[in-house]
Amino acid sequence: MTATPAALLHEATSRLERLARDAEEGALDPAIALLVRSLEDGGVIQAFGTGHSEAFAMEIAGRAGGLIPTNRIALRDIVLHGQRTVDVLTGTLEREPWVVDELMAVSPVGAHDAFVIASNSGVNGSIVGVALWAKEHGHPVIAVTSLEHTARVEPKHPSGKRLSEIADVVIDNLAPYGDSTLELPGGFGIGAISSITAAFIAQLLTLGVARAIGDAGDTPPLYISANIPGGDEHNSALEDRYRDRLRRGA
């Protein structure tokens, strides 16, 4: 397909429409049920992603229109809250299995928390390691990954596992192998799609959880924009319910 804005729009909208249709038909209900149960039990939703998949975690945790009982785990936490120096934050850190123990040691995880982990490839050491850590400690894990891509690459974790093989629920982000949806002359791939579909999945999960809580007769704990009157006060009052459980950085 010719690499044009209209072509990229088609690649995006066709996938978003499929995700929305699947959600309407209940495809996300198992994931939503796990998240609702966690919140009902007093837990929070722990979101994790590395590289461009960190954008998914940012869509889940700490944003206007999002759920308040959410936390974003990031590799930089081993510097900000641990003992590592900034030079450890290289582009290859996400591949390293050793980072998991240090990362989780500085992460505020409670007994009833659920994990939502995004990774297009689903094979890097930190991603697989956090998923394994969560399962070993009794937490449900929801994966957002490209099933097409992950099936064609080798795991980088000593366990030999992929994120999709660990999670309780797997959501396909519908990205193709290599993520690019279009091709330039010379065979260069362009038009990466996984960030767009992952952000939409994050919002579908948030919507589903909020609707389920509302249908049960409760008020969904949602952020409103801090940039409208009363926003800070509303958000702070609800955050206080989860004092010392949530981490909000710059």
Side-chain angles (χ1 to χ4, degrees), residues 44 46 109-115 131 133-142 168:
V44 304
Q46 302 283 351
V109 178
H112 299 292
D113 294 355
F115 280 67
W133 185 97
K135 291 300 299 176
E136 289 166 1
H137 289 79
H139 302 282
V141 174
I142 298 165
D168 298 282

Side-chain angles (χ1 to χ4, degrees), residues 121-210:
S121 68
V123 296
N124 279 323
S126 64
I127 289 291
V128 172
V130 168
L132 287 171
W133 185 97
K135 291 300 299 176
E136 289 166 1
H137 289 79
H139 302 282
V141 174
I142 298 165
V144 177
T145 190
S146 166
L147 291 180
E148 180 179 335
H149 186 107
T150 199
R152 294 175 60 179
V153 291
E154 293 298 320
K156 296 181 174 66
H157 190 273
S159 67
K161 292 184 177 294
R162 297 172 174 83
L163 173 62
S164 60
E165 298 167 336
I166 301 165
D168 298 282
V169 178
V170 179
I171 301 171
D172 188 1
N173 68 15
L174 305 183
Y177 176 68
D179 208 353
S180 301
T181 57
L182 302 172
E183 189 174 294
L184 291 171
F188 297 102
I190 199 167
I193 204 71
S194 64
S195 294
I196 295 173
T197 56
F200 191 58
I201 290 167
Q203 293 302 322
L204 289 174
L205 291 174
T206 299
L207 175 63
V209 170

Side-chain angles (χ1 to χ4, degrees), residues 8 12 20-21 51 63 76 101 107 117 132 174 177 181 197 205 207 218 227 231 243:
L8 180 57
R21 183 171 61 251
R63 63 155 298 140
R76 70 182 70 87
D101 288 337
S107 297
I117 302 175
L132 287 171
L174 305 183
Y177 176 68
T181 57
T197 56
L205 291 174
L207 175 63
D218 296 322
N227 295 312
R243 187 177 298 277

Side-chain angles (χ1 to χ4, degrees), residues 60-84:
I60 289 288
R63 63 155 298 140
L67 294 163
I68 287 177
T70 53
N71 212 46
R72 174 163 53 95
I73 298 171
L75 291 178
R76 70 182 70 87
D77 291 344
I78 65 172
V79 174
L80 295 174
H81 306 286
Q83 303 300 316
R84 291 284 178 171

Side-chain angles (χ1 to χ4, degrees), residues 30-105:
I32 291 167
L34 287 178
L35 298 177
V36 170
R37 188 178 310 127
S38 173
L39 299 185
E40 289 177 341
D41 291 341
V44 304
I45 298 168
Q46 302 283 351
F48 180 55
T50 64
H52 66 264
S53 291
E54 188 177 350
F56 171 87
M58 296 175 72
E59 284 293 315
I60 289 288
R63 63 155 298 140
L67 294 163
I68 287 177
T70 53
N71 212 46
R72 174 163 53 95
I73 298 171
L75 291 178
R76 70 182 70 87
D77 291 344
I78 65 172
V79 174
L80 295 174
H81 306 286
Q83 303 300 316
R84 291 284 178 171
T85 56
V86 70
D87 58 284
V88 76
L89 300 178
T90 67
T92 59
L93 184 61
E94 66 179 352
R95 300 178 183 175
E96 299 293 343
W98 63 260
V99 74
V100 173
D101 288 337
E102 294 186 28
L103 181 61
M104 301 317 299

